[in-house]
């Protein structure tokens, strides 16, 4: 919990090109809860690159929350989780826009006890060269923070 708080403080102190992602295994279940927090204007800019120009008008979403269908497609592409080398699909539970930040909560279901977990975090990796995607993984006895960048986007954690 202290690591999450520390990363949140870092996010507040350096609000340039930073996102925060927390991945938590729900004990005694087959679920991973994922929280993603990022600056909304950065999200809209990245979505403008991600979606084809005919499908997405970033100006339309400057003051209103991005529709769930866009957020789900964006997060499916940008946050990738594999457990035991099997790609998981996330379900967007909700998203909240408060001030200049958007927070999304997702749920990923695993079919087996995690022995390895591979996380790819590509949020705004193609938009900003100084992007830092601060990610905390808490699965079983493992709790580790990682700073993903445009050059370093994936890490595998061994849980055995």
């Amino acid at each position: 919990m202290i690591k999450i708080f520390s990363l949140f403080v870092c996010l507040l102190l350096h609000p340039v090109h930073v996102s925060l992602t927390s991945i938590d295994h729900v004990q005694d279940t087959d679920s991973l809860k994922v929280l993603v927090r990022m600056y909304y204007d950065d999200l809209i800019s990245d979505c403008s690159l991600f979606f084809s120009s005919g499908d997405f008008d970033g100006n339309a979403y400057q003051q209103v929350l991005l529709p769930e269908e866009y957020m789900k497609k964006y997060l499916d592409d940008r946050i990738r989780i594999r457990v035991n080398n099997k790609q998981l699909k996330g379900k967007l539970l909700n998203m909240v826009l408060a001030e200049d930040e958007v927070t999304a909560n997702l749920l990923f279901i695993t079919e087996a006890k995690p022995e390895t977990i591979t996380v790819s975090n590509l949020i705004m990796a193609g938009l900003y060269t100084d992007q830092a995607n601060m990610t905390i993984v808490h699965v079983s006895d493992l709790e580790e923070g990682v700073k993903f960048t445009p050059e370093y986007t994936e890490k595998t954690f061994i849980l055995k």
Side-chain angles (χ1 to χ4, degrees), residues 1 5 29 52 61 65 80 84 87 89 95 99 112 130 143 152:
M1 191 64 166
F5 179 73
T29 72
S52 65
Y61 302 111
L65 189 59
R80 299 177 190 161
N84 304 340
Q87 182 71 44
K89 279 295 207 183
M95 58 182 177
E99 297 180 21
D130 64 342
E143 183 173 6
Y152 179 65

Side-chain angles (χ1 to χ4, degrees), residues 59-129:
N59 293 326
Y61 302 111
Q62 293 297 325
Q63 302 299 320
V64 297
L65 189 59
L66 190 68
E68 278 190 21
E69 68 181 89
Y70 285 122
M71 188 65 149
K72 174 147 180 32
K73 286 179 185 177
Y74 176 81
L75 291 173
D76 279 347
D77 184 74
R78 299 301 199 245
I79 302 290
R80 299 177 190 161
I81 299 174
R82 292 191 315 270
V83 171
N84 304 340
N85 289 320
K86 182 174 181 186
Q87 182 71 44
L88 304 180
K89 279 295 207 183
K91 177 182 178 186
L92 179 63
L93 300 176
N94 64 23
M95 58 182 177
V96 176
L97 178 61
E99 297 180 21
D100 294 333
E101 295 179 346
V102 63
T103 301
N105 288 288
L106 300 104
L107 185 67
F108 290 79
I109 304 296
T110 65
E111 294 180 3
K113 181 179 179 188
E115 294 177 7
T116 64
I117 182 168
T118 301
V119 177
S120 297
N121 190 329
L122 301 164
I123 292 175
M124 292 169 243
L127 187 62
Y128 301 118
T129 58

Side-chain angles (χ1 to χ4, degrees), residues 10-56:
C10 287
L11 184 65
L12 290 175
L13 294 177
H14 186 67
V16 181
H17 301 125
V18 179
S19 76
L20 174 66
T21 301
S22 173
I23 301 169
D24 289 293
H25 182 247
V26 181
Q27 201 163 21
D28 299 324
T29 72
D30 58 355
S31 303
L32 296 171
K33 290 189 323 184
V34 177
L35 175 137
V36 179
R37 179 173 288 147
M38 65 192 100
Y39 287 98
Y40 191 65
D41 59 338
D42 291 340
L43 170 65
I44 296 303
S45 295
D46 203 26
C47 283
S48 294
L49 295 176
F50 176 68
F51 293 104
S52 65
S53 59
D55 293 340
F56 186 83

